[in-house]
Amino acid sequence: MVAAALIAKGYAEVGDGFAAGVIVALAVALVYVALGAEGAEAALPVLRHAPELAVGGLLLALATGFFPLALGEPPVSHRPAPGEHVVKVGALELFTPLLLDLGVFLLVVGVLTTLLHQLGRPPGVGGR
């Protein structure tokens, strides 16, 4: 919930996808400490997809940053532009800074969770 609040904060101020990703990774680390590597991976089967999350987040962040170049605009341009119609889901506005924050969030969660996975196993034990 705290991570979601940090990302949603971006609608009033600068968002913080990095801090939100670190908070989620810390929660995953706590599960690793409490249950061990085997128990954490059994309790949270989504952990085996952490590398894919990292790659997806990286691609989303890069696309958000460099897609405007294809349109002849500066990198990381704000879309929709100020004064244009913004699509809303409830009170949340969907615009490019949100996509960049989500990309950074996924990248940080994926990388840190992959590191936890690698560090949580003794040397010589199989796994990803």
Side-chain angles (χ1 to χ4, degrees):
M1 290 306 268
V2 173
L6 278 174
I7 289 177
K9 177 188 93 146
Y11 296 106
E13 301 170 11
V14 176
D16 205 356
F18 181 82
V22 170
I23 288 171
V24 170
L26 285 173
V28 170
L30 185 61
V31 172
Y32 267 90
V33 169
L35 303 176
E38 297 294 328
E41 292 163 13
L44 300 171
V46 73
L47 294 179
R48 74 184 80 142
H49 300 291
E52 290 87 1
L53 280 177
V55 170
L58 178 63
L59 292 176
L60 180 60
L62 287 174
T64 303
F66 291 110
F67 182 70
L69 288 174
L71 302 175
E73 298 175 0
V76 196
S77 293
H78 190 284
R79 285 279 160 215
E84 292 181 6
H85 174 71
V86 177
V87 177
K88 294 184 178 184
V89 176
L92 300 178
E93 297 175 343
L94 301 178
F95 59 124
T96 53
L98 173 66
L99 291 177
L100 183 63
D101 274 342
L102 287 175
V104 170
F105 169 78
L106 292 173
L107 176 63
V108 170
V109 169
V111 167
L112 292 179
T113 303
T114 301
L115 287 173
L116 286 170
H117 174 78
Q118 296 299 320
L119 293 173
R121 296 198 172 280
V125 175
R128 210 173 200 195

